[in-house]
Short mmCIF file of all heavy atoms in Angstrom, two decimals:
data_model
loop_
_atom_site.label_atom_id
_atom_site.label_comp_id
_atom_site.label_asym_id
_atom_site.label_seq_id
_atom_site.Cartn_x
_atom_site.Cartn_y
_atom_site.Cartn_z
N TYR D 216 -13.06 -3.21 -7.50
CA TYR D 216 -13.11 -2.35 -6.30
C TYR D 216 -14.06 -1.18 -6.53
O TYR D 216 -14.86 -0.84 -5.64
CB TYR D 216 -11.70 -1.83 -5.98
CG TYR D 216 -11.61 -0.99 -4.72
CD1 TYR D 216 -11.24 -1.55 -3.52
CD2 TYR D 216 -11.89 0.38 -4.75
CE1 TYR D 216 -11.15 -0.80 -2.36
CE2 TYR D 216 -11.81 1.15 -3.60
CZ TYR D 216 -11.43 0.56 -2.41
OH TYR D 216 -11.36 1.33 -1.27
N ALA D 217 -13.99 -0.58 -7.70
CA ALA D 217 -14.87 0.56 -8.02
C ALA D 217 -16.33 0.14 -7.96
O ALA D 217 -17.18 0.86 -7.39
CB ALA D 217 -14.52 1.13 -9.39
N VAL D 218 -16.64 -1.02 -8.50
CA VAL D 218 -18.02 -1.51 -8.49
C VAL D 218 -18.48 -1.77 -7.06
O VAL D 218 -19.56 -1.34 -6.65
CB VAL D 218 -18.12 -2.80 -9.34
CG1 VAL D 218 -19.48 -3.47 -9.13
CG2 VAL D 218 -17.90 -2.50 -10.81
N LYS D 219 -17.65 -2.45 -6.29
CA LYS D 219 -18.02 -2.84 -4.92
C LYS D 219 -18.16 -1.64 -4.00
O LYS D 219 -18.98 -1.63 -3.09
CB LYS D 219 -16.96 -3.79 -4.37
CG LYS D 219 -17.32 -4.42 -3.04
CD LYS D 219 -16.29 -5.45 -2.63
CE LYS D 219 -16.65 -6.11 -1.31
NZ LYS D 219 -15.65 -7.12 -0.90
N ASN D 220 -17.35 -0.58 -4.24
CA ASN D 220 -17.32 0.56 -3.33
C ASN D 220 -17.94 1.83 -3.92
O ASN D 220 -17.73 2.92 -3.39
CB ASN D 220 -15.86 0.83 -2.91
CG ASN D 220 -15.29 -0.29 -2.07
OD1 ASN D 220 -15.49 -0.35 -0.88
ND2 ASN D 220 -14.55 -1.20 -2.72
N ASN D 221 -18.67 1.67 -5.00
CA ASN D 221 -19.41 2.77 -5.61
C ASN D 221 -18.49 3.94 -5.99
O ASN D 221 -18.83 5.11 -5.81
CB ASN D 221 -20.53 3.26 -4.68
CG ASN D 221 -21.57 4.08 -5.43
OD1 ASN D 221 -21.83 3.85 -6.61
ND2 ASN D 221 -22.16 5.05 -4.75
N ARG D 222 -17.31 3.63 -6.51
CA ARG D 222 -16.40 4.64 -7.03
C ARG D 222 -16.70 4.82 -8.51
O ARG D 222 -16.93 3.85 -9.23
CB ARG D 222 -14.95 4.20 -6.82
CG ARG D 222 -14.56 4.09 -5.34
CD ARG D 222 -14.04 5.40 -4.83
NE ARG D 222 -13.70 5.36 -3.41
CZ ARG D 222 -13.01 6.32 -2.80
NH1 ARG D 222 -12.57 7.37 -3.48
NH2 ARG D 222 -12.77 6.27 -1.51
N LYS D 223 -16.66 6.06 -8.99
CA LYS D 223 -17.20 6.36 -10.31
C LYS D 223 -16.17 6.77 -11.36
O LYS D 223 -16.53 7.05 -12.50
CB LYS D 223 -18.26 7.47 -10.19
CG LYS D 223 -19.47 7.08 -9.37
CD LYS D 223 -20.15 5.83 -9.95
CE LYS D 223 -21.38 5.41 -9.17
NZ LYS D 223 -21.94 4.14 -9.69
N LYS D 224 -14.89 6.80 -10.99
CA LYS D 224 -13.89 7.21 -11.97
C LYS D 224 -12.58 6.48 -11.72
O LYS D 224 -12.10 6.44 -10.58
CB LYS D 224 -13.67 8.72 -11.90
CG LYS D 224 -12.76 9.28 -12.99
CD LYS D 224 -12.75 10.81 -12.89
CE LYS D 224 -11.93 11.43 -14.02
NZ LYS D 224 -11.94 12.90 -13.93
N ILE D 225 -12.01 5.92 -12.78
CA ILE D 225 -10.70 5.28 -12.71
C ILE D 225 -9.76 6.01 -13.67
O ILE D 225 -10.05 6.12 -14.86
CB ILE D 225 -10.77 3.79 -13.08
CG1 ILE D 225 -11.67 3.03 -12.10
CG2 ILE D 225 -9.37 3.18 -13.11
CD1 ILE D 225 -11.90 1.58 -12.47
N THR D 226 -8.66 6.51 -13.13
CA THR D 226 -7.68 7.24 -13.94
C THR D 226 -6.39 6.43 -14.03
O THR D 226 -5.80 6.07 -13.01
CB THR D 226 -7.38 8.62 -13.31
OG1 THR D 226 -8.60 9.38 -13.26
CG2 THR D 226 -6.35 9.38 -14.16
N ILE D 227 -5.98 6.14 -15.26
CA ILE D 227 -4.73 5.42 -15.51
C ILE D 227 -3.61 6.46 -15.56
O ILE D 227 -3.67 7.41 -16.35
CB ILE D 227 -4.82 4.67 -16.86
CG1 ILE D 227 -6.04 3.75 -16.88
CG2 ILE D 227 -3.53 3.89 -17.12
CD1 ILE D 227 -6.55 3.45 -18.29
N VAL D 228 -2.62 6.30 -14.70
CA VAL D 228 -1.51 7.27 -14.61
C VAL D 228 -0.26 6.64 -15.20
O VAL D 228 0.15 5.55 -14.79
CB VAL D 228 -1.27 7.71 -13.16
CG1 VAL D 228 -0.19 8.79 -13.10
CG2 VAL D 228 -2.56 8.22 -12.52
N HIS D 229 0.39 7.33 -16.15
CA HIS D 229 1.49 6.73 -16.89
C HIS D 229 2.39 7.81 -17.47
O HIS D 229 2.04 8.99 -17.48
CB HIS D 229 0.93 5.89 -18.05
CG HIS D 229 0.15 6.74 -19.02
ND1 HIS D 229 0.71 7.31 -20.15
CD2 HIS D 229 -1.14 7.18 -18.99
CE1 HIS D 229 -0.19 8.04 -20.77
NE2 HIS D 229 -1.34 7.98 -20.09
N LYS D 230 3.55 7.41 -17.96
CA LYS D 230 4.45 8.30 -18.69
C LYS D 230 4.65 7.75 -20.10
O LYS D 230 5.74 7.68 -20.65
CB LYS D 230 5.80 8.39 -17.94
CG LYS D 230 6.72 9.50 -18.42
CD LYS D 230 6.17 10.89 -18.21
CE LYS D 230 7.17 11.94 -18.67
NZ LYS D 230 6.60 13.29 -18.67
N GLY D 231 3.52 7.37 -20.70
CA GLY D 231 3.53 6.71 -21.99
C GLY D 231 3.91 7.60 -23.15
O GLY D 231 4.20 7.11 -24.25
N ASN D 232 3.90 8.92 -22.93
CA ASN D 232 4.35 9.81 -24.00
C ASN D 232 5.85 9.69 -24.23
O ASN D 232 6.35 9.99 -25.32
CB ASN D 232 3.99 11.26 -23.67
CG ASN D 232 4.54 11.73 -22.34
OD1 ASN D 232 4.65 10.96 -21.39
ND2 ASN D 232 4.88 13.00 -22.24
N ILE D 233 6.60 9.25 -23.23
CA ILE D 233 8.05 9.08 -23.36
C ILE D 233 8.43 7.60 -23.41
O ILE D 233 9.15 7.16 -24.31
CB ILE D 233 8.78 9.77 -22.17
CG1 ILE D 233 8.41 11.25 -22.10
CG2 ILE D 233 10.29 9.57 -22.29
CD1 ILE D 233 8.81 12.05 -23.32
N MET D 234 7.95 6.82 -22.44
CA MET D 234 8.25 5.38 -22.40
C MET D 234 7.10 4.63 -23.06
O MET D 234 6.21 4.10 -22.39
CB MET D 234 8.48 4.94 -20.96
CG MET D 234 9.74 5.52 -20.35
SD MET D 234 9.94 5.17 -18.59
CE MET D 234 8.85 6.41 -17.89
N LYS D 235 7.13 4.59 -24.38
CA LYS D 235 5.96 4.16 -25.15
C LYS D 235 5.66 2.68 -25.04
O LYS D 235 4.51 2.26 -25.16
CB LYS D 235 6.15 4.57 -26.61
CG LYS D 235 6.28 6.07 -26.80
CD LYS D 235 6.39 6.47 -28.25
CE LYS D 235 6.68 7.97 -28.39
NZ LYS D 235 5.62 8.81 -27.83
N TYR D 236 6.69 1.86 -24.82
CA TYR D 236 6.48 0.42 -24.83
C TYR D 236 6.42 -0.20 -23.44
O TYR D 236 6.18 -1.39 -23.30
CB TYR D 236 7.57 -0.25 -25.68
CG TYR D 236 7.59 0.32 -27.07
CD1 TYR D 236 8.73 0.99 -27.53
CD2 TYR D 236 6.49 0.23 -27.90
CE1 TYR D 236 8.75 1.55 -28.80
CE2 TYR D 236 6.50 0.79 -29.17
CZ TYR D 236 7.63 1.45 -29.61
OH TYR D 236 7.64 2.00 -30.87
N THR D 237 6.67 0.59 -22.42
CA THR D 237 6.48 0.12 -21.05
C THR D 237 5.23 0.82 -20.49
O THR D 237 4.16 0.23 -20.41
CB THR D 237 7.72 0.39 -20.18
OG1 THR D 237 8.12 1.76 -20.32
CG2 THR D 237 8.86 -0.52 -20.59
N GLU D 238 5.35 2.08 -20.17
CA GLU D 238 4.20 2.79 -19.59
C GLU D 238 3.12 3.10 -20.64
O GLU D 238 1.94 3.18 -20.31
CB GLU D 238 4.68 4.05 -18.89
CG GLU D 238 5.65 3.73 -17.76
CD GLU D 238 5.67 4.74 -16.63
OE1 GLU D 238 4.74 5.57 -16.55
OE2 GLU D 238 6.61 4.69 -15.83
N GLY D 239 3.55 3.25 -21.89
CA GLY D 239 2.55 3.42 -22.95
C GLY D 239 1.69 2.18 -23.09
O GLY D 239 0.47 2.26 -23.25
N ASN D 240 2.33 1.02 -23.02
CA ASN D 240 1.56 -0.23 -23.08
C ASN D 240 0.76 -0.46 -21.80
O ASN D 240 -0.31 -1.07 -21.83
CB ASN D 240 2.48 -1.41 -23.34
CG ASN D 240 2.76 -1.58 -24.83
OD1 ASN D 240 2.08 -1.01 -25.67
ND2 ASN D 240 3.77 -2.37 -25.15
N PHE D 241 1.28 0.02 -20.66
CA PHE D 241 0.49 -0.05 -19.42
C PHE D 241 -0.86 0.64 -19.65
O PHE D 241 -1.91 0.09 -19.31
CB PHE D 241 1.26 0.64 -18.29
CG PHE D 241 0.56 0.63 -16.95
CD1 PHE D 241 0.74 -0.42 -16.07
CD2 PHE D 241 -0.29 1.67 -16.58
CE1 PHE D 241 0.10 -0.44 -14.84
CE2 PHE D 241 -0.94 1.66 -15.35
CZ PHE D 241 -0.75 0.60 -14.48
N ARG D 242 -0.82 1.82 -20.22
CA ARG D 242 -2.05 2.56 -20.54
C ARG D 242 -2.93 1.75 -21.50
O ARG D 242 -4.14 1.58 -21.27
CB ARG D 242 -1.69 3.90 -21.17
CG ARG D 242 -2.87 4.69 -21.73
CD ARG D 242 -2.38 5.90 -22.52
NE ARG D 242 -3.49 6.64 -23.11
CZ ARG D 242 -4.04 6.34 -24.28
NH1 ARG D 242 -3.61 5.30 -24.98
NH2 ARG D 242 -5.05 7.07 -24.75
N LYS D 243 -2.33 1.24 -22.57
CA LYS D 243 -3.08 0.50 -23.58
C LYS D 243 -3.75 -0.74 -22.98
O LYS D 243 -4.94 -1.00 -23.22
CB LYS D 243 -2.14 0.08 -24.72
CG LYS D 243 -2.83 -0.68 -25.84
CD LYS D 243 -1.85 -1.14 -26.91
CE LYS D 243 -1.13 -2.40 -26.44
NZ LYS D 243 -0.36 -3.05 -27.54
N TRP D 244 -2.99 -1.49 -22.18
CA TRP D 244 -3.53 -2.73 -21.61
C TRP D 244 -4.63 -2.45 -20.59
O TRP D 244 -5.58 -3.23 -20.46
CB TRP D 244 -2.39 -3.54 -21.00
CG TRP D 244 -1.43 -4.08 -22.02
CD1 TRP D 244 -1.73 -4.52 -23.28
CD2 TRP D 244 -0.01 -4.23 -21.86
NE1 TRP D 244 -0.57 -4.94 -23.92
CE2 TRP D 244 0.49 -4.77 -23.08
CE3 TRP D 244 0.89 -3.97 -20.83
CZ2 TRP D 244 1.84 -5.05 -23.28
CZ3 TRP D 244 2.23 -4.25 -21.02
CH2 TRP D 244 2.70 -4.78 -22.23
N CYS D 245 -4.51 -1.34 -19.86
CA CYS D 245 -5.59 -0.97 -18.92
C CYS D 245 -6.88 -0.68 -19.68
O CYS D 245 -7.96 -1.12 -19.28
CB CYS D 245 -5.17 0.25 -18.10
SG CYS D 245 -4.02 -0.10 -16.76
N TYR D 246 -6.76 0.04 -20.79
CA TYR D 246 -7.95 0.32 -21.60
C TYR D 246 -8.52 -0.96 -22.21
O TYR D 246 -9.74 -1.11 -22.32
CB TYR D 246 -7.63 1.32 -22.71
CG TYR D 246 -7.72 2.77 -22.29
CD1 TYR D 246 -6.62 3.62 -22.37
CD2 TYR D 246 -8.92 3.30 -21.82
CE1 TYR D 246 -6.71 4.96 -21.99
CE2 TYR D 246 -9.03 4.63 -21.44
CZ TYR D 246 -7.92 5.45 -21.52
OH TYR D 246 -8.02 6.77 -21.15
N GLU D 247 -7.65 -1.89 -22.57
CA GLU D 247 -8.13 -3.15 -23.16
C GLU D 247 -8.94 -3.95 -22.16
O GLU D 247 -10.00 -4.50 -22.50
CB GLU D 247 -6.94 -3.97 -23.67
CG GLU D 247 -6.34 -3.44 -24.96
CD GLU D 247 -5.14 -4.24 -25.44
OE1 GLU D 247 -4.74 -5.22 -24.75
OE2 GLU D 247 -4.59 -3.90 -26.51
N ILE D 248 -8.48 -4.02 -20.91
CA ILE D 248 -9.24 -4.78 -19.91
C ILE D 248 -10.54 -4.05 -19.58
O ILE D 248 -11.57 -4.67 -19.30
CB ILE D 248 -8.39 -5.07 -18.65
CG1 ILE D 248 -8.96 -6.27 -17.89
CG2 ILE D 248 -8.33 -3.88 -17.71
CD1 ILE D 248 -8.70 -7.59 -18.55
N ALA D 249 -10.51 -2.72 -19.63
CA ALA D 249 -11.75 -1.96 -19.43
C ALA D 249 -12.75 -2.25 -20.54
O ALA D 249 -13.96 -2.39 -20.29
CB ALA D 249 -11.43 -0.47 -19.36
N GLU D 250 -12.25 -2.38 -21.76
CA GLU D 250 -13.13 -2.69 -22.89
C GLU D 250 -13.72 -4.08 -22.75
O GLU D 250 -14.90 -4.31 -23.06
CB GLU D 250 -12.35 -2.56 -24.20
CG GLU D 250 -13.18 -2.76 -25.46
CD GLU D 250 -14.30 -1.74 -25.62
OE1 GLU D 250 -14.16 -0.60 -25.11
OE2 GLU D 250 -15.32 -2.09 -26.25
N GLU D 251 -12.92 -5.03 -22.26
CA GLU D 251 -13.41 -6.39 -22.03
C GLU D 251 -14.55 -6.42 -21.02
O GLU D 251 -15.39 -7.31 -21.05
CB GLU D 251 -12.27 -7.29 -21.55
CG GLU D 251 -11.26 -7.65 -22.62
CD GLU D 251 -10.13 -8.50 -22.07
OE1 GLU D 251 -10.37 -9.27 -21.09
OE2 GLU D 251 -9.00 -8.40 -22.57
N HIS D 252 -14.54 -5.47 -20.09
CA HIS D 252 -15.57 -5.42 -19.04
C HIS D 252 -16.46 -4.19 -19.19
O HIS D 252 -16.93 -3.63 -18.21
CB HIS D 252 -14.88 -5.45 -17.67
CG HIS D 252 -14.10 -6.70 -17.43
ND1 HIS D 252 -14.66 -7.87 -16.99
CD2 HIS D 252 -12.78 -6.98 -17.61
CE1 HIS D 252 -13.73 -8.80 -16.89
NE2 HIS D 252 -12.59 -8.29 -17.26
#
Side-chain angles (χ1 to χ4, degrees):
Y216 183 96
V218 170
K219 188 174 181 180
N220 294 278
N221 198 31
R222 296 271 178 168
K223 296 303 181 185
K224 186 174 184 179
I225 298 175
T226 300
I227 305 155
V228 184
H229 61 93
K230 192 64 178 171
N232 56 326
I233 303 299
M234 292 174 280
K235 299 183 186 299
Y236 303 117
T237 50
E238 300 208 15
N240 276 346
F241 180 89
R242 172 189 178 275
K243 181 184 80 169
W244 292 325
C245 283
Y246 274 120
E247 285 179 359
I248 202 73
E250 184 61 28
E251 287 178 30
H252 298 277

